[in-house]
Amino acid sequence: ETGVTQTPRHLVMGMTNKKSLKCEQHLGHNAMYWYKQSAKKPLELMFVYNFKEQTENNSVPSRFSPECPNSSHLFLHLHTLQPEDSALYLCASSQGTASNQPQHFGDGTRLSIL
Amino acid sequence: QKEVEQNSGPLSVPEGAIASLNCTYSDRGSQSFFWYRQYSGKSPELIMFIYSNGDKEDGRFTAQLNKASQYVSLLIRDSQPSDSATYLCAGGLNTGTASKLTFGTGTRLQVTL
């Protein structure tokens, strides 16, 4: 069982729908991350939150909107997505933001855009 | 573009052999390096991390770092079929406000019976 839980595990949505991905970490960490993993491409960092504050937005389109109400929960709100947004979305957490802090991943949400 | 390069494989080794996975990175500012294992349909699982030049051993795994050559490797001794997975190399950089990991595309390892 992972210390980082993501829901839903699978999501199919149309381009005009609005949905949200949820992530919860039970590790007492302070930093949380959203990544996108597409086939044959490296994991792409999307957003970083440290103590609920967004510290990194890696030029992500505005149709992805993150929310971090506290250090244990992270959401990714989705609206008017494109077919190329179909991918595995991974949440991760770490104790802090020092470079030697390992990140621990959830099982991801497999997103398919129709 | 800061990159981490890995051979996509598949790397095929017989059971009981040593598997050697390699990774090069272009950003000399990278301070720590991580190896993750990812089974198909699963999330990346941390195997080891290293931030000092030299070797670091943990059980059957040894990570090696050479900052002068910008090279990181992972050795898996006594390879088992359960080691068959994709291995992701990542370089860590602290930007002052965030810890950023730059990942390679991964090397697929197949351990054959």
Side-chain angles (χ1 to χ4, degrees):
Chain A
E1 181 181 334
T2 177
V4 181
T5 304
Q6 289 187 244
T7 55
R9 293 295 310 278
H10 302 273
L11 178 61
V12 180
M13 57 187 286
M15 288 190 286
T16 58
N17 292 157
K18 291 184 180 181
K19 296 287 184 183
S20 296
L21 310 185
K22 178 182 176 182
C23 176
E24 181 176 2
Q25 59 96 359
H26 314 276
L27 301 170
H29 289 167
N30 302 316
M32 297 187 76
Y33 311 78
W34 279 118
Y35 286 88
K36 175 183 179 183
Q37 188 174 35
S38 304
K40 301 190 187 300
K41 293 178 68 176
L43 269 81
E44 301 172 53
L45 178 66
M46 300 175 71
F47 301 103
V48 181
Y49 278 82
N50 189 31
F51 289 100
K52 305 188 304 178
E53 300 298 320
Q54 186 181 121
T55 58
E56 192 82 14
N57 177 336
N58 204 25
S59 303
V60 180
S62 60
R63 58 185 184 270
F64 294 92
S65 176
E67 178 190 0
C68 188
N70 55 60
S71 294
S72 298
H73 294 85
L74 185 64
F75 296 89
L76 188 62
H77 304 299
L78 316 171
H79 62 98
T80 60
L81 295 193
Q82 304 300 308
E84 62 266 28
D85 297 324
S86 297
L88 179 67
Y89 289 84
L90 290 162
C91 173
S93 70
S94 65
Q95 181 61 48
T97 54
S99 63
N100 62 352
Q101 291 293 326
Q103 295 179 19
H104 299 267
F105 287 84
D107 284 337
T109 295
R110 174 71 60 186
L111 176 65
S112 298
I113 305 300
L114 300 178
Chain B
Q1 178 79 14
K2 308 298 184 184
E3 291 184 346
V4 173
E5 302 280 351
Q6 294 182 259
N7 188 321
S8 62
L11 172 66
S12 185
V13 299
E15 184 178 6
I18 296 175
S20 178
L21 303 160
N22 304 314
C23 170
T24 59
Y25 61 95
S26 60
D27 187 354
R28 287 192 175 274
S30 297
Q31 296 149 334
S32 302
F33 299 87
F34 302 83
W35 283 100
Y36 287 85
R37 177 176 63 198
Q38 187 173 24
Y39 293 113
S40 180
K42 297 292 187 180
S43 63
E45 173 192 6
L46 181 69
I47 297 296
M48 291 191 70
F49 67 93
I50 186 168
Y51 50 85
S52 297
N53 273 328
D55 297 357
K56 179 180 178 182
E57 186 175 321
D58 184 1
R60 294 187 297 114
F61 300 96
T62 298
Q64 300 174 318
L65 173 60
N66 184 325
K67 291 188 177 180
S69 300
Q70 296 177 248
Y71 177 88
V72 193
S73 66
L74 179 70
L75 301 178
I76 306 174
R77 288 180 298 281
D78 189 23
S79 296
Q80 302 296 309
S82 58
D83 294 326
S84 298
T86 296
Y87 288 79
L88 306 175
C89 173
L93 177 67
N94 190 325
T95 66
T97 57
S99 171
K100 296 186 68 173
L101 291 187
T102 301
F103 283 85
T105 52
T107 298
R108 189 157 63 94
L109 173 66
Q110 290 179 336
V111 180
T112 58
L113 295 173

